Protein backbone atom coordinates (compact mmCIF):
# COMPACT_ATOMS: atom_id res chain seq x y z
CA UNK A 1 0.00 0.00 0.00
CA UNK A 2 1.40 3.39 -0.94
CA UNK A 3 1.36 6.58 1.01
CA UNK A 4 -1.82 8.64 0.53
CA UNK A 5 -0.06 12.04 0.36
CA UNK A 6 3.73 11.90 0.50
CA UNK A 7 4.00 15.66 -0.11
CA UNK A 8 2.03 16.21 3.10
CA UNK A 9 3.64 13.50 5.20
CA UNK A 10 7.29 13.73 4.13
CA UNK A 11 7.76 17.52 4.33
CA UNK A 12 8.10 19.96 7.20
CA UNK A 13 6.40 23.37 6.94
CA UNK A 14 8.09 25.57 4.35
CA UNK A 15 8.31 29.35 4.23
CA UNK A 16 9.26 29.19 0.55
CA UNK A 17 6.35 30.52 -1.55
CA UNK A 18 7.09 28.19 -4.48
CA UNK A 19 7.13 25.15 -2.16
CA UNK A 20 3.76 26.26 -0.74
CA UNK A 21 2.30 26.79 -4.22
CA UNK A 22 3.54 23.52 -5.76
CA UNK A 23 2.90 21.44 -2.60
CA UNK A 24 -0.27 22.96 -1.07
CA UNK A 25 -0.86 20.03 1.33
CA UNK A 26 2.74 19.97 2.59
CA UNK A 27 4.19 20.48 6.02
CA UNK A 28 2.90 17.66 8.22
CA UNK A 29 6.05 15.55 8.68
CA UNK A 30 6.02 16.03 12.45
CA UNK A 31 2.61 14.36 12.66
CA UNK A 32 3.74 11.56 10.32
CA UNK A 33 6.90 10.94 12.37
CA UNK A 34 4.73 10.71 15.50
CA UNK A 35 2.50 8.18 13.66
CA UNK A 36 5.57 6.10 12.79
CA UNK A 37 6.79 6.24 16.38
CA UNK A 38 3.52 5.62 18.23
CA UNK A 39 1.59 3.40 15.83
CA UNK A 40 3.63 1.83 13.03
CA UNK A 41 6.71 0.69 14.95
CA UNK A 42 4.69 -0.74 17.90
CA UNK A 43 2.36 -2.52 15.43
CA UNK A 44 5.29 -4.10 13.58
CA UNK A 45 6.94 -5.18 16.84
CA UNK A 46 3.68 -6.67 18.18
CA UNK A 47 2.69 -8.39 14.94
CA UNK A 48 5.96 -9.73 13.53
CA UNK A 49 9.00 -11.52 14.85
CA UNK A 50 11.61 -8.76 14.97
CA UNK A 51 14.90 -8.00 16.61
CA UNK A 52 15.86 -4.69 18.16
CA UNK A 53 17.54 -3.28 15.05
CA UNK A 54 15.41 -0.79 13.13
CA UNK A 55 16.29 0.49 9.68
CA UNK A 56 14.61 3.24 7.66
CA UNK A 57 15.12 3.81 3.95
CA UNK A 58 14.04 7.01 2.23
CA UNK A 59 14.52 8.31 -1.31
CA UNK A 60 13.71 11.79 -2.67
CA UNK A 61 11.02 13.28 -0.38
CA UNK A 62 11.35 10.07 1.64
CA UNK A 63 15.06 10.90 1.96
CA UNK A 64 14.07 14.35 3.23
CA UNK A 65 11.84 12.73 5.87
CA UNK A 66 14.53 10.20 6.81
CA UNK A 67 17.01 13.06 7.23
CA UNK A 68 14.55 14.96 9.43
CA UNK A 69 14.11 11.90 11.65
CA UNK A 70 17.89 11.40 11.80
CA UNK A 71 18.50 15.01 12.84
CA UNK A 72 15.60 15.39 15.29
CA UNK A 73 14.87 11.88 16.65
CA UNK A 74 18.04 9.91 15.97
CA UNK A 75 17.22 7.04 18.33
CA UNK A 76 13.99 6.17 16.52
CA UNK A 77 16.02 4.01 14.11
CA UNK A 78 19.44 2.39 14.24
CA UNK A 79 20.21 2.53 10.53
CA UNK A 80 19.42 5.39 8.18
CA UNK A 81 19.62 4.85 4.42
CA UNK A 82 19.17 8.21 2.71
CA UNK A 83 19.08 8.21 -1.08
CA UNK A 84 18.80 11.34 -3.24
CA UNK A 85 17.26 13.39 -0.44
CA UNK A 86 15.21 16.44 -1.46
CA UNK A 87 17.19 18.72 0.84
CA UNK A 88 16.35 21.70 -1.39
CA UNK A 89 13.01 21.80 0.45
CA UNK A 90 12.31 25.03 2.40
CA UNK A 91 15.45 26.73 1.10
CA UNK A 92 17.65 23.93 2.48
CA UNK A 93 16.71 24.71 6.10
CA UNK A 94 17.17 21.09 7.21
CA UNK A 95 20.89 21.41 6.48
CA UNK A 96 21.03 24.14 9.15
CA UNK A 97 19.57 21.88 11.87
CA UNK A 98 22.18 20.82 14.39
CA UNK A 99 21.97 17.03 14.79
CA UNK A 100 21.02 15.54 18.14
CA UNK A 101 23.67 13.28 19.60
CA UNK A 102 23.53 9.60 18.78
CA UNK A 103 23.23 7.49 21.92
CA UNK A 104 23.75 4.12 20.30
CA UNK A 105 25.56 2.45 17.45
CA UNK A 106 24.07 4.20 14.46
CA UNK A 107 24.77 3.63 10.78
CA UNK A 108 24.09 6.33 8.22
CA UNK A 109 24.41 5.77 4.49
CA UNK A 110 23.90 8.69 2.09
CA UNK A 111 23.85 8.23 -1.67
CA UNK A 112 23.07 10.41 -4.65
CA UNK A 113 23.29 9.87 -8.37
CA UNK A 114 24.07 12.25 -11.21
CA UNK A 115 21.04 14.41 -10.40
CA UNK A 116 22.10 17.98 -10.90
CA UNK A 117 24.06 20.50 -8.90
CA UNK A 118 21.57 21.09 -6.07
CA UNK A 119 20.80 17.44 -5.31
CA UNK A 120 24.45 16.42 -5.50
CA UNK A 121 25.70 19.38 -3.44
CA UNK A 122 23.12 19.08 -0.65
CA UNK A 123 23.63 15.32 -0.24
CA UNK A 124 27.38 15.90 0.09
CA UNK A 125 26.77 18.79 2.52
CA UNK A 126 24.65 16.51 4.72
CA UNK A 127 27.43 13.92 4.73
CA UNK A 128 30.08 16.55 5.58
CA UNK A 129 27.93 18.01 8.36
CA UNK A 130 27.46 14.58 9.91
CA UNK A 131 31.14 13.75 9.47
CA UNK A 132 32.10 16.85 11.49
CA UNK A 133 29.90 15.72 14.41
CA UNK A 134 30.58 11.99 14.04
CA UNK A 135 31.19 10.01 17.18
CA UNK A 136 33.29 6.84 17.28
CA UNK A 137 30.27 4.51 17.52
CA UNK A 138 28.61 5.99 14.41
CA UNK A 139 29.26 4.42 11.01
CA UNK A 140 28.90 6.96 8.21
CA UNK A 141 28.98 6.20 4.49
CA UNK A 142 28.65 8.35 1.37
CA UNK A 143 28.39 7.21 -2.21
CA UNK A 144 28.13 9.16 -5.45
CA UNK A 145 26.52 6.92 -8.05
CA UNK A 146 27.85 8.66 -11.14
CA UNK A 147 26.08 6.31 -13.58
CA UNK A 148 22.66 6.61 -11.92
CA UNK A 149 19.95 9.26 -11.97
CA UNK A 150 17.18 10.23 -9.57
CA UNK A 151 14.95 7.53 -11.02
CA UNK A 152 17.37 4.62 -10.84
CA UNK A 153 19.78 5.27 -7.96
CA UNK A 154 17.61 3.72 -5.26
CA UNK A 155 18.12 0.01 -5.92
CA UNK A 156 21.90 0.16 -6.22
CA UNK A 157 22.14 2.46 -3.22
CA UNK A 158 20.02 0.25 -0.97
CA UNK A 159 21.96 -2.86 -1.95
CA UNK A 160 25.29 -1.09 -1.30
CA UNK A 161 24.00 0.37 1.97
CA UNK A 162 22.82 -2.97 3.35
CA UNK A 163 26.10 -4.54 2.30
CA UNK A 164 28.10 -1.80 4.07
CA UNK A 165 25.98 -1.63 7.21
CA UNK A 166 25.59 -5.35 7.79
CA UNK A 167 28.93 -6.48 6.40
CA UNK A 168 30.26 -9.57 8.13
CA UNK A 169 34.03 -9.82 8.12
CA UNK A 170 35.18 -13.03 6.49
CA UNK A 171 37.58 -15.12 8.55
Amino acid sequence: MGNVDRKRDFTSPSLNKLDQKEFPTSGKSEKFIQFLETEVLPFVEATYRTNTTKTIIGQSLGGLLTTEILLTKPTLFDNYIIVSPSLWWNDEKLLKVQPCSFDSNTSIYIAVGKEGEVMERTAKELYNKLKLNKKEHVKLFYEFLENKTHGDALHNAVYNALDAIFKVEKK
Side-chain angles (χ1 to χ4, degrees), residues 75-141:
T75 59
L76 197 53
F77 294 92
D78 304 291
N79 303 310
Y80 291 82
I81 300 173
I82 302 168
V83 183
S84 306
S86 298
L87 295 169
W88 50 264
W89 178 256
N90 192 23
D91 299 318
E92 304 176 14
K93 294 278 191 299
L94 200 50
L95 287 171
K96 295 172 180 67
V97 172
Q98 194 59 28
C100 296
S101 64
F102 302 99
D103 295 332
S104 63
N105 293 329
T106 303
S107 293
I108 306 160
Y109 175 92
I110 302 165
V112 66
K114 192 111 176 106
E115 304 182 48
E117 188 272 328
V118 172
M119 293 290 281
E120 294 168 30
R121 175 184 52 78
T122 55
K124 187 69 174 191
E125 281 182 30
L126 175 62
Y127 168 76
N128 288 333
K129 175 187 187 110
L130 294 170
K131 193 166 126 181
L132 282 175
N133 296 307
K134 184 180 162 321
K135 303 290 187 239
E136 187 176 310
H137 58 274
V138 175
K139 291 193 281 186
L140 180 62
F141 307 92

Side-chain angles (χ1 to χ4, degrees), residues 44-45 47-51:
V44 169
E45 290 167 5
T47 308
Y48 301 100
R49 210 168 16 142
T50 63
N51 61 27

Side-chain angles (χ1 to χ4, degrees), residues 148-161:
K148 300 297 176 194
T149 65
H150 193 70
D152 63 3
L154 179 66
H155 295 95
N156 284 80
V158 170
Y159 178 87
N160 295 343

